[in-house]
Amino acid sequence: RVQAAPAANLSLSPSTGTLYYGVPFSLRMLMDTAGEAVVVADPILLYDAALWRIDSVTPNYADPPGAGQFRFLARSACAGGRVQVSVGTPHQTALSGSPLAIADLLATPLQCLPAAPLSYYFLAAGAGGDSNLIRDDGLGTDLLTGVSGGVYRGLPPPRGESADYDADPAAEPVVFRPATGLWSVRGATSFFLGSSGDIPVPGDYGGDGKTDPAVFRPASGLWATRGGGRIYFGGPDDLPLPGDWTGDGTSDLAVFRPADGRWAVRNATRFFFGALGDCPVPADFNRDGRLAAAVFRPSSGLWAARSLTRLSFGLSGDLPVPADYDGDGSEDFAVFRPGSGFWAARSVTRAFFGASGDIPVPADYAGSGSAGMALFRPLTGWWEIRGITAFCFGQLGDLPLSR
């Protein structure tokens, strides 16, 4: 294969960002032809199949400005950590430009809090069965000289302390749209708070029994409530975990640093607890009205609640969903198995509810004093609350906040 001088390349958009366990996001494969006409684009993208699920691969058929369609060849294959897309045009409609979209991918992170950044990378030229961009010269000349992939921060689903936005006994279904900062409370209101990259951190910051919308901005450590409150606490490496840590009936600002297991509650305490790869699951496990620091180890199913207990419950890949499922005032150790829809609350209940790809959102939707099983289907915005109701609310990319 003859290598050409122009420096054509392949890339991903976006190439960075914050992603949430179980929530699909869109990736676009792009090519820069360096001004040359291209008749075939054959990118190969590699990823860790234990960390990602590819939901769909859609080759691009749109007319780029000043160019013809990809209409000569279009196919895709995805298996075992490898995505290959082949698209092309007849010679009379060869493509050139920067950038041009080759294909769109819909991908879902599969680990609660991975120990390393989530990444994709292209199989570069010269690697055997490699990616290529073929010039329109009749010689099969490969123009590809550079590739760049994407690296992303993976987070567990946001954990708000409560989901009662009107101070009645029942939790409300709520979604947050990360791209725009749109909040929607079903049957009540919609508003904007936050911007791209912000993490939703709802909680009862006023102590009035109602959930207050709020966001955490990792880049600066800013916490901002809808009422105008602004406080700086934490930083880019921290995961926000608001809740009532002191037992005074109001939500406190708190963060967990996954890299070293550091916990900090503003104006209260700091300590180390947990290891790299642990998923923080603070909860009131002993009915004292305060959150206890706790972690779930996804690799083994180990739970550890600081100064309380250590136990094994669940399997590798399970998602922790602690909540008060029996109404006794303490939260129960519980897991959800994404591949099968299996729920298990220790010493309380076991049930199958949901399907692969669903996000669990247990909460007290009935106002009965106990949490019920519920799920959100991110591809369609479908909600189902077990034994109560089902409805559509939200869209692809929205985060459910009803915890």
Side-chain angles (χ1 to χ4, degrees), residues 31 33 36-38 60-71 89-101:
M31 72 175 182
T33 69
E36 295 287 323
V38 171
N60 179 52
Y61 293 94
D63 280 318
Q69 288 181 313
F70 284 126
R71 61 189 182 195
T89 73
H91 292 290
Q92 63 268 28
T93 55
L95 297 168
S96 64
S98 172
L100 296 178

Side-chain angles (χ1 to χ4, degrees), residues 29 32 48 65 67 78 89 106 114 153 165 175 177 248 250 297 318 336 359 384 391:
M29 290 184 181
D32 179 350
D48 187 339
C78 175
T89 73
L106 195 64
R153 185 187 187 201
Y165 288 78
V175 293
R177 194 159 298 162
D248 63 357
T250 63
R297 192 159 295 165
D318 286 353
F336 172 76
I359 298 176
E384 189 165 353
F391 51 87

Side-chain angles (χ1 to χ4, degrees), residues 32-347:
D32 179 350
T33 69
E36 295 287 323
V38 171
V39 290
V40 172
D42 190 21
I44 300 171
L45 193 66
L46 304 182
Y47 64 98
D48 187 339
L51 300 180
W52 298 96
R53 180 182 69 241
I54 303 297
D55 298 301
S56 66
V57 181
T58 307
N60 179 52
Y61 293 94
D63 280 318
Q69 288 181 313
F70 284 126
R71 61 189 182 195
F72 178 66
L73 174 68
R75 66 175 183 265
S76 63
C78 175
R82 177 185 174 109
V83 177
Q84 182 168 2
V85 180
S86 297
V87 292
T89 73
H91 292 290
Q92 63 268 28
T93 55
L95 297 168
S96 64
S98 172
L100 296 178
I102 299 172
D104 292 318
L105 281 67
L106 195 64
T108 301
L110 294 179
Q111 287 200 9
C112 179
L113 190 60
L118 302 168
S119 62
Y120 281 87
Y121 57 97
F122 287 101
L123 187 59
D130 53 324
S131 305
N132 54 62
L133 298 176
I134 303 301
R135 178 195 274 173
D136 182 20
D137 58 7
L139 301 175
T141 303
D142 188 358
L143 296 173
L144 183 63
T145 59
V147 294
S148 57
V151 179
Y152 312 90
R153 185 187 187 201
L155 298 180
R159 287 179 57 87
E161 184 188 18
S162 57
D164 185 5
Y165 288 78
D166 55 10
D168 68 0
E172 290 83 40
V174 182
V175 293
F176 173 75
R177 194 159 298 162
T180 62
L182 175 67
W183 297 63
S184 295
V185 182
R186 185 173 185 256
T189 185
S190 295
F191 52 87
F192 288 92
L193 176 67
S195 57
S196 180
D198 289 352
I199 299 173
V201 286
D204 183 5
Y205 296 101
D208 59 0
K210 293 195 300 182
T211 299
D212 303 302
V215 295
F216 172 72
R217 189 160 296 162
S220 62
L222 171 69
W223 296 67
T225 64
R226 192 183 181 211
R230 296 170 68 89
I231 294 174
Y232 289 88
F233 183 70
D237 299 325
D238 295 333
L239 186 65
L241 297 171
D244 187 1
W245 291 88
T246 57
D248 63 357
T250 63
S251 293
D252 305 296
L253 309 190
V255 295
F256 170 74
R257 188 162 296 170
D260 60 9
R262 182 181 307 178
W263 298 68
V265 181
R266 185 174 181 263
N267 297 331
T269 186
R270 295 171 183 263
F271 53 87
F272 290 89
F273 185 68
L276 185 65
D278 287 351
C279 191
V281 285
D284 180 5
F285 292 109
N286 61 354
R287 284 178 279 188
D288 67 353
R290 297 183 297 175
L291 291 182
V295 296
F296 174 76
R297 192 159 295 165
S299 61
S300 63
L302 171 70
W303 292 74
R306 185 173 181 253
S307 302
L308 293 177
T309 189
R310 292 170 64 92
L311 57 94
S312 291
F313 186 69
L315 302 176
S316 176
D318 286 353
L319 183 67
V321 285
D324 184 4
Y325 292 94
D326 55 7
D328 66 354
S330 66
E331 296 190 72
D332 306 297
F333 299 98
V335 294
F336 172 76
R337 197 156 295 159
S340 63
F342 176 67
W343 295 69
R346 186 171 181 260
S347 302

